[in-house]
Amino acid sequence: MLEDLTLKLEKALKKVTGQVRLNEENISDSLREIRRVLLDADVNYKVAKKFIDNVKEKALGKEVLVSVTPGQLITKIIYDELTQLMGGQSSELGLNPSGPTVILMVGLQGSGKTTFSAKLARYLSERKRKPLLTAADIYRPAAIEQLKQLGSKINVPVFTIDGSKDAVKIAKDSVAYAKENGLDTIIIDTAGRLHVDDNLMNEVASIKETVKPTEILFIVDSMTGQDAVNSAKAFHDRVDFDGVVLTKLDGDTRGGCALSIKAVVEKPIKFASLGEKLDSIEVFYPERMASRILGKGDVVSLVEKAQQQFDEKETEDLEQKLLANKFDFEDFLKQIKMIKKMGSLKSLLGMVPGMSSAIKDADVDDNQLIKVESIIQSMTRDERTNPKVLNGSRRKRIARGSGNTIQEVNRLIKQFGEMQKMMKRFNSKSGRKMLGNMKNFRYN
Amino acid sequence: MKLFKNINFDKLKDGLDKTREKIVNRISETVSGKANIDEATLEELEEILITSDIGLETAMEVIETTRIALKREQDRSKLNVLEVIQNELASALDRYSEGPIDKIEIEKFKPYVILIVGVNGAGKTTTVGKLAYNFKQSGLKVVIGSADTFRAAANEQLEIWAQRAGVEIVQKESGSDPSAVAFDTLNVAKRTNADIVLIDTAGRLHTKNNLMEELKKIRKVLGKVVENAPHDTFLVVDGNTGQNALIQAREFEKFTDLTGLIVTKLDGTAKGGVIFQICAEQKVPVRYIGVGEKIDDLQDFDSKKYVKALFELQ
């Protein structure tokens, strides 16, 4: 999905990350490149513009970490903006837990409503719902027949009134039919309609008025161009849908509309539909999509994780503990976990300016971290906060529990003792000064 | 000789109203009250063009040409700016335009075989119905082959269109080999002395290699029954599609040797841009356009009229 966009953005980012430092000129070059990437990906013109403006503003802002390169920083900002545009977190389908749930499908012709209706019915019946498919597309030849055939494939009943020219009545009667037959989820497939077709827009509005859906889904072809935002907005203004479904995402579309629709109508994208098979339906994860767009490049993940993990408050807490000489195994474990989340020790050290070349040939063994972690985890809470109680039998137990030798446990405890001694030295005047420098080193 | 005229050209204009309104009004807004066209105006033009799905590259080309042309021009008033852009766009479309299929050609190859391909939901089946109707109206004997044996109720849908158009249809049960349907259709056409054959195919994403290979096979089978068939292979493109339409055209071209495009759903908003791009980048002409769901809502594509409609001032 969206591989193309990923590639293009990576290309654009390379240009940025190749720079030693950011200045107005090379930002504008890179931003122009990103703009091109977005427009080629069918991101709406205005959304793209806003995106670029935000990135620019933030890039020129003050939140600059000196421990990352300017290129990494702009990457981080782009990623954040992209995630935000995509809608933050994934959004669940609204289902009525007790009474009947009515789900109404709306959208343009050929967006994939009928196929998706069947997919959703299958998806929900797997989740212990009892769906009913309602065929209310009275216009397209054989649309009702199509839904009937799909319904029989997945063993979901299909309701319609043969020969009826009244979509509102079909929808209304289907809800009553579901109630009578103990079906709890009614999925109403409607005819594709252009948002400029007043008659048909009135029809779908009156279906909404009549059946009062729990959830209205706007089905959109992910290959749609600039106009996606216009049709989405028109449908939104008319029926105020609850969520968006992106179809045909198994193709090579760059999926710009995934970025822009939410920005324009402020409704979450709830599902991704990825093929003609009736089980090819996925819950839509905006953050996953954003990561995918930027690729899983080291740069993104390092910058992202560095900022997440070196959470300012946590670091400050740790610093206070160091200064108060209260650093124990518990804190040590926290640090190890932090480091592990950030990736390998070597790559982490590589992020420190000047360190990269210094550690190039150094042998940094990440397995040591895992060993240390396992030893600490085998300690009781009391042992962690008060290492003095660690006598021979306790050490033996820890070694057994963590699958290490007693020598290894001894070595760790000894090293930890030395560390604490070192930290005591930090408590001296020069130590404080050193810590202060470290702080500046991380924050601007 | 044209087979069918632009039956309701006003409809195209209606359909394009929104697009035209956008482009013309915004150009007018931009330009009116200004003696000279400036960089900001050209940028505004870029926005107008891009939001019409014309593509960044094509938009920039048009802007650049406009810029150069305007440098030479004394009169940089509204009308002049519009004329320059209009000429530029029309010539981009004219470059590969072939005009409609004529009767002499059909007589020569009889049965004249047209293969219809495209991604899912582009409007292939509807287009086949409309084409059948139009060819029938112009006095030709038409046979439709329903080679979409995959999608649920595709047979039933096409059958209804065949009835509406009053033409013969050949089909097999769902799930059978589409090439077999193509084979049977051409044999029926030969036996019944039909003039023209329309083969509808299942929608397929251009990224699905096995399905694209299937098209190759269909083509091969067609060529075995009727020499040089298919005589035309039309890619149906949803007018709402963005930049992906270019890739679609490129990929379908690889597997089927496209001879034309049919752009559908042009009765909505902000469409048409995709036509310019495909013409410029893929060198494939637009043959017909779809402007509605009714059987007569298909028109010959005429680049000049198209651009004129796009830019005509109210």
Side-chain angles (χ1 to χ4, degrees), chain A residues 128-240:
Chain A
K128 308 284 173 236
R129 303 288 302 194
K130 294 194 194 81
L132 171 71
L133 281 163
T134 302
D137 180 355
I138 52 171
Y139 304 99
R140 182 163 59 91
I144 288 170
E145 179 60 28
Q146 184 184 353
L147 196 63
K148 278 182 184 169
Q149 290 185 13
L150 292 173
S152 80
K153 260 189 203 171
I154 54 171
N155 291 319
V156 169
V158 176
F159 179 89
T160 193
I161 304 169
D162 282 317
S164 171
K165 287 283 159 223
D166 188 347
V168 182
K169 186 174 171 14
I170 295 173
K172 190 182 163 196
D173 287 4
S174 76
V175 177
Y177 176 88
K179 276 180 194 157
E180 284 161 22
N181 291 275
L183 303 166
D184 58 16
T185 312
I186 303 108
I187 299 168
I188 304 172
D189 179 30
T190 63
R193 63 200 76 222
L194 282 174
H195 50 289
V196 290
D197 189 328
D198 282 337
N199 289 337
L200 287 182
M201 289 306 276
N202 286 339
E203 182 201 75
V204 78
S206 49
I207 292 177
K208 182 196 169 175
E209 279 312 301
T210 309
V211 301
K212 308 229 171 342
T214 325
E215 187 91 358
I216 302 176
L217 295 175
F218 177 62
I219 319 297
V220 64
D221 184 332
S222 60
M223 295 181 280
T224 309
Q226 296 281 324
D227 203 47
V229 290
N230 294 331
S231 48
K233 195 169 184 316
F235 271 94
H236 175 253
D237 290 349
R238 204 58 203 270
V239 296
D240 190 22

Side-chain angles (χ1 to χ4, degrees), chain A residues 35 109 227 248 250 252, chain B residues 46 120 206 208 265 269:
Chain A
R35 174 177 177 268
Q109 290 96 340
D227 203 47
K248 307 177 204 173
D250 51 329
D252 58 356
Chain B
E46 185 199 61
N120 314 68
H206 48 288
K208 310 266 185 221
K265 308 179 201 175
T269 51

Side-chain angles (χ1 to χ4, degrees), chain A residues 4 35-37 39-42 44-46 49 108-111 115 139-143 145-147 149-150 153 192 194-197 200 221 223-228 230-231 248-254 274-277, chain B residues 18 22 26 43 46-47 50-53 55-57 60 119-122 126 150-154 156-158 160-161 164 174 203-208 211 238 240-244 247-248 251 265 267-271 293:
Chain A
D4 227 354
R35 174 177 177 268
R36 171 188 289 276
V37 167
L39 291 178
D40 280 351
D42 293 322
N44 177 263
Y45 187 88
K46 286 196 179 68
K49 191 173 175 358
L108 301 177
Q109 290 96 340
S111 55
T115 305
Y139 304 99
R140 182 163 59 91
E145 179 60 28
Q146 184 184 353
L147 196 63
Q149 290 185 13
L150 292 173
K153 260 189 203 171
L194 282 174
H195 50 289
V196 290
D197 189 328
L200 287 182
D221 184 332
M223 295 181 280
T224 309
Q226 296 281 324
D227 203 47
N230 294 331
S231 48
K248 307 177 204 173
L249 265 171
D250 51 329
D252 58 356
T253 175
R254 296 168 196 175
L274 305 120
E276 294 181 88
K277 293 207 182 70
Chain B
K18 297 278 174 179
K22 249 189 188 168
R26 282 155 79 182
E43 241 169 67
E46 185 199 61
E47 174 178 350
I50 287 171
T51 51
S52 305
D53 278 322
L56 185 58
E57 203 174 311
M60 293 201 310
V119 298
N120 314 68
T126 305
F150 180 80
R151 186 170 59 86
E156 288 83 347
Q157 186 181 352
L158 195 57
I160 294 167
W161 278 113
R164 287 181 185 174
S174 179
R204 67 201 73 222
L205 287 180
H206 48 288
T207 50
K208 310 266 185 221
L211 294 179
D238 184 335
N240 289 294
T241 313
Q243 305 304 297
N244 196 253
I247 307 169
Q248 287 173 23
E251 290 301 312
K265 308 179 201 175
D267 46 335
T269 51
K271 275 151 258 83
E293 289 185 307

Side-chain angles (χ1 to χ4, degrees), chain B residues 64-89:
Chain B
E64 199 45 42
T65 317
T66 310
R67 193 199 307 272
I68 292 163
L70 285 172
K71 264 183 192 160
R72 291 194 302 264
E73 294 294 323
Q74 290 301 308
D75 176 17
R76 296 177 187 179
S77 66
K78 177 168 69 182
L79 279 175
N80 196 276
V81 173
L82 283 176
E83 207 178 303
V84 169
I85 298 167
Q86 196 173 318
N87 288 341
E88 181 61 24
L89 288 172

Side-chain angles (χ1 to χ4, degrees), chain A residues 249-308:
Chain A
L249 265 171
D250 51 329
D252 58 356
T253 175
R254 296 168 196 175
C257 53
L259 299 179
S260 40
I261 287 179
K262 170 115 202 291
V264 175
V265 298
E266 288 172 8
K267 289 293 154 93
I269 298 167
K270 296 200 171 183
F271 287 100
S273 187
L274 305 120
E276 294 181 88
K277 293 207 182 70
L278 294 176
D279 58 356
S280 50
I281 169 174
E282 276 181 11
V283 172
F284 184 84
Y285 292 103
E287 68 278 14
R288 215 185 268 177
M289 201 77 133
S291 299
R292 200 181 172 116
I293 290 165
L294 281 177
K296 292 209 162 69
D298 308 331
V299 181
V300 186
S301 36
L302 271 181
V303 176
E304 181 68 13
K305 286 170 187 168
Q307 207 163 52
Q308 266 175 18

Side-chain angles (χ1 to χ4, degrees), chain A residues 34 37 56 67 69 101 161 166 213-214 230 258 293 324 333 338 394 426:
Chain A
I34 289 163
V37 167
K56 193 173 171 184
S67 59
T69 68
T101 297
I161 304 169
D166 188 347
T214 325
N230 294 331
I293 290 165
L333 189 66
M338 227 185 254
R394 280 177 192 258
F426 275 144

Side-chain angles (χ1 to χ4, degrees), chain B residues 188-201:
Chain B
V188 167
K190 277 165 91 173
R191 199 168 59 234
T192 59
N193 204 27
D195 297 299
I196 198 154
V197 175
L198 299 166
I199 306 283
D200 186 25
T201 61

